[in-house]
Amino acid sequence: MSARLPSWAWVTGLTAGAVAVVAVLAVRADQGPRPEPTAARPSASASASAEPKPQDTEPAPPAAPAGSGTGRRIVYSLTQHRVWLIDASDAVRGSFTVWPGTIAPDPGRYKVGTRTETTTGSDGVPIEHVVFFANKDGVDIAFSNALDGSSPPPAEGRRTGGIRIGKAPGDALWAFATAGTPVRVVD
């Protein structure tokens, strides 16, 4: 007499076989990507160039004013309330707006003199990264940033030579403006 398997046993065997095949495929898929034909989808460089990169959407710093000199220097525009950090190849390495004090330097050529890490400004605000470069009518003129990041208007009735900048630009200017760095003040 031959032993015959019940029909449910046969289905169970097929199910077990199918589960085994799925398990093998899952293990293979988990082992990493498989090479694909390059014609199946666009290359990474093609898709990367089609989508804007974050740095592509940021505006380029404005060019330094004409007639502001050549070589490594800091340029300060009185009318634009803007500073440029320019390297030895005349490339703009940074540019940012500033908030001038009540006493402005005359247009001309200056050099970074002393630098002070932290102090209190003539307006009573704690400041850092003070970069002195001029003196007018007995008032020292310097770039600085407020420790709290604020940009308050100059104190009414006070003679202040502080040219305030934001925190991040203050860090950049501090690193760039070593003693003796030329400063060009333009209208």
Side-chain angles (χ1 to χ4, degrees):
M1 185 165 167
S2 70
R4 205 171 154 173
L5 293 173
S7 62
W8 60 265
W10 186 76
V11 172
T12 303
L14 278 178
T15 302
V19 168
V21 168
V22 169
V24 167
L25 292 174
V27 167
R28 288 190 68 200
D30 214 24
Q31 292 174 347
R34 300 277 180 245
E36 296 179 20
T38 55
R41 62 178 197 212
S43 70
S45 62
S47 65
S49 64
E51 296 176 20
K53 297 175 185 164
Q55 65 268 23
D56 292 342
T57 60
E58 294 177 14
S68 65
T70 60
R72 188 175 189 280
R73 66 200 182 279
I74 299 167
V75 176
Y76 171 40
S77 171
L78 298 168
T79 57
Q80 294 181 48
H81 296 178
R82 179 169 284 280
V83 167
W84 290 262
L85 307 179
I86 302 175
D87 70 14
S89 69
D90 285 329
V92 175
R93 293 297 168 206
S95 180
F96 39 89
T97 56
V98 299
W99 300 274
T102 59
I103 305 292
D106 293 324
R109 297 172 190 222
Y110 302 89
K111 288 191 178 202
V112 171
T114 58
R115 298 171 5 129
T116 302
E117 182 73 37
T118 60
T119 190
T120 300
S122 57
D123 57 0
V125 174
I127 57 175
E128 67 178 348
H129 299 153
V130 186
V131 177
F132 294 93
F133 68 93
N135 185 293
K136 183 175 179 182
D137 300 328
V139 176
D140 288 326
I141 299 175
F143 301 109
S144 65
N145 63 276
L147 284 171
D148 67 1
S150 67
S151 57
E156 204 171 309
R158 297 194 119 188
R159 296 168 29 96
T160 61
I163 302 165
R164 291 285 163 77
I165 55 182
K167 173 71 173 133
D171 293 344
L173 190 131
W174 179 257
F176 187 87
T178 55
T181 300
V183 178
R184 189 71 181 263
V185 178
V186 298
D187 282 323

